[in-house]
Amino acid sequence: MPVLEVRGIEKRFGATQVLRDISFSLEQGQALSIIGSSGSGKTTLLRCLNFLERPDGGSIAVNGETVFDAAETGALREAEIRRRRLHFGLVFQSFNLFPQYTALENVTLAGKLLARDDPAWRTERKALLASIEENGRALLERMGLADRAGHYPHMLSGGQQQRVAIARALALKPDILCFDEPTSALDPELTGEVLKVIRALAEERTTMIIVTHEMSFARDVSDSLIFMDKGVIVEQGDPRQIMDAPREERTRQFLRSYQA
């Protein structure tokens, strides 16, 4: 059973159709890269998966559970949206760290807030908080930032901030980790350190969706690739096949623009 099944996702903003009949599936441990020109709908798709936008049509299932169906009537309660959102972790292109919190506090904040809903909160509060902090420190160490736990975002480089953001996304143990152009705000030197972390996650068989403009990275790291244009999937399949011998002329045009 695929860990993720997306069927017929549609999204409009007013009269503008941003996503049209988006369908794909993702197996446990696979990395899927999504490429395409600016404005092709890639980020909107990630926002729909993470319940930051509500699709106008289609369905999303995680581990066989339908987490979104456009046929659902009425608005979802905020608590239910939060529960469904936990299936996905999202790393934004501009980090989106809280400037008033340290690296460790950024990583552990969501876990601490969710712990208050745990039935054991009243009787085992200290143990729960200690476990969350231990997990946060372990994630920062995994990102090579063990010595930066007490640093505030302004004290960190862009690459370090993005690695904190990755640790934060991993902290709640999502089924699928999503990246929205994770290196677009970084200079070339810092881009390498973030891509190294994502490559390591892929080698560990972390299930991921990566919106990226790093073509060679997408080719080498991904198990599957989607090329989007004007809100539709133009081509999807094996990354090497698509990049070396694309079937569609629009795909060839896009890839030529990166090779020029």
Side-chain angles (χ1 to χ4, degrees), residues 227-238:
F227 168 59
M228 291 182 64
D229 185 55
K230 297 180 181 179
V232 302
I233 294 177
V234 175
E235 197 161 349
Q236 62 179 309
D238 179 82

Side-chain angles (χ1 to χ4, degrees), residues 69 72 193 196 239:
D69 190 329
E72 273 186 324
E193 66 183 55
K196 182 179 179 181

Side-chain angles (χ1 to χ4, degrees), residues 1 75 88 136 183 204 222 227:
M1 177 190 299
F88 300 90
T183 62
E204 295 165 10
S222 309
F227 168 59

Side-chain angles (χ1 to χ4, degrees), residues 27-248:
E27 300 291 335
Q28 181 73 41
Q30 284 189 332
L32 164 68
S33 285
I34 304 177
I35 61 173
S37 301
S38 178
S40 59
K42 308 182 301 295
T43 293
T44 299
L45 174 57
L46 286 191
R47 290 178 64 84
C48 286
L49 293 177
N50 283 271
F51 291 90
L52 297 174
E53 301 286 352
R54 183 185 175 102
D56 297 305
S59 65
I60 302 167
V62 179
N63 294 322
E65 174 195 358
T66 298
V67 297
F68 173 81
D69 190 329
E72 273 186 324
T73 58
L76 292 172
R77 292 186 177 183
E78 186 60 33
E80 179 61 16
I81 291 175
R82 285 200 304 270
R83 185 189 74 81
R84 297 183 186 194
R85 190 176 284 155
L86 290 174
H87 290 292
F88 300 90
L90 178 58
V91 179
F92 298 90
Q93 56 183 294
S94 54
F95 323 139
N96 286 17
L97 299 179
F98 295 106
Q100 70 272 33
Y101 295 136
T102 66
L104 180 60
E105 288 168 340
N106 267 281
V107 173
T108 59
L109 178 62
K112 289 177 179 178
L113 292 174
L114 287 171
R116 297 180 182 183
D117 296 329
D118 192 312
W121 176 253
R122 289 186 178 181
T123 57
E124 300 177 38
R125 178 178 176 178
K126 286 186 178 180
L128 287 171
L129 291 175
S131 177
I132 292 167
E133 181 160 328
E134 181 182 4
N135 181 56
R137 290 186 182 279
L139 285 168
L140 287 175
E141 182 175 4
R142 185 177 172 187
M143 297 295 116
L145 296 170
D147 59 342
R148 298 291 191 271
H151 286 54
Y152 290 90
H154 75 273
M155 303 165 67
L156 303 172
S157 70
Q160 290 170 336
Q161 289 185 59
Q162 192 62 296
R163 283 183 280 154
V164 172
I166 295 171
R168 179 177 63 181
L170 288 168
L172 297 180
K173 300 178 175 64
D175 294 292
I176 301 128
L177 183 59
C178 302
F179 293 89
D180 184 14
E181 304 244 6
T183 62
S184 65
L186 303 175
D187 62 41
E189 186 175 359
L190 298 178
T191 291
E193 66 183 55
V194 172
L195 293 181
K196 182 179 179 181
V197 168
I198 300 174
R199 191 182 298 274
L201 291 170
E203 291 172 353
E204 295 165 10
R205 307 306 292 171
T206 303
T207 308
M208 297 186 290
I209 299 175
I210 309 163
V211 169
T212 183
H213 59 272
E214 301 285 346
M215 295 298 113
S216 60
F217 177 79
R219 185 183 189 277
D220 294 341
V221 169
S222 309
D223 298 287
S224 57
L225 183 81
I226 285 174
F227 168 59
M228 291 182 64
D229 185 55
K230 297 180 181 179
V232 302
I233 294 177
V234 175
E235 197 161 349
Q236 62 179 309
D238 179 82
R240 288 172 175 78
Q241 181 273 311
I242 291 175
M243 291 194 173
D244 294 344
R247 299 187 184 94
E248 303 296 329

